[in-house]
Amino acid sequence: LPLVVTRVKSVSLSHMAATRVQLVDAAKTADKAQDFDEMCKCVRGIAQMGQALTVEERTMFHIAYKNATAKKRYELRQAAGDAGKAKAVTDICGEVLDLLDKYLIPSCKDAESQIFLLKMKGDYHRYYAEVDLNAQEQKNSALEAYTKATEVAAVTLPPTHPIRLGLALNFSVFYYEILRDPDRGCTMAKQAFDEAVTELDSLDEESYKESTLIMQLLRDNLTLWAEDAEEGDGTKVEDVGDP
């Protein structure tokens, strides 16, 4: 009988079948190529392994979804009211929140990671609420995540720590923009700024630059919000890690 050879199309290694090291390498390659959709697939595979993220992996997870979400939020702003673009934003927010709740937050082993991930949870519930201001569940969940992160940060991180400062910045934006509570938002931003100022002298040069960058954003927001109170035309400024 003649030998029958069946030709099959070659396929790349699936993200689920790849090893952790392969996924990290693939995520770095995608980052360099600015292919953030592919980078999201890689970091999603890492997250679904259910193990605590390293600082490098945590940063890549943040960068991937930050950029992918930023694109979708921008497209929605350019076409306000477009149901398809609104769904694209809420879908990616739901994806991130699912990964945080199922895998990343339960597996984190240190306070800094817990604060970082809870801040992300608050951020993505906030982005969801931006699309639907009537989404009370999203507002409640953002408030809960931000509040818990703030409580942990208050006893584990110094006031000058960039993660603590970024958390205060975004939490204050949440109060101002989503909960429509400008007094609380301004008070929170000012308190974070004032507490950090008193400890700046203890920082090394690199830490000083990183902390003062976020402190400047806090000050910018306070200035803009003061103008908003007078003229009704303020604009938010988010932290350097946000979309």
Side-chain angles (χ1 to χ4, degrees), residues 26 46 49 107 120 158 161 165 173 183 194 198 205:
I46 296 171
M49 292 180 176
S107 67
M120 278 194 73
H161 196 291
L165 285 168
V173 168
D183 290 341
D194 290 345
T198 62
E205 183 176 355

Side-chain angles (χ1 to χ4, degrees), residues 35-46:
D35 185 350
F36 298 111
D37 288 338
E38 177 63 21
M39 191 178 181
C40 284
K41 294 176 184 177
C42 297
V43 297
R44 182 169 64 240
I46 296 171

Side-chain angles (χ1 to χ4, degrees), residues 16-37:
M16 291 301 294
T19 67
R20 196 179 190 94
V21 172
Q22 288 173 322
L23 288 172
V24 168
D25 289 343
K28 291 178 181 177
T29 300
D31 186 17
K32 289 179 181 178
Q34 295 190 328
D35 185 350
F36 298 111
D37 288 338

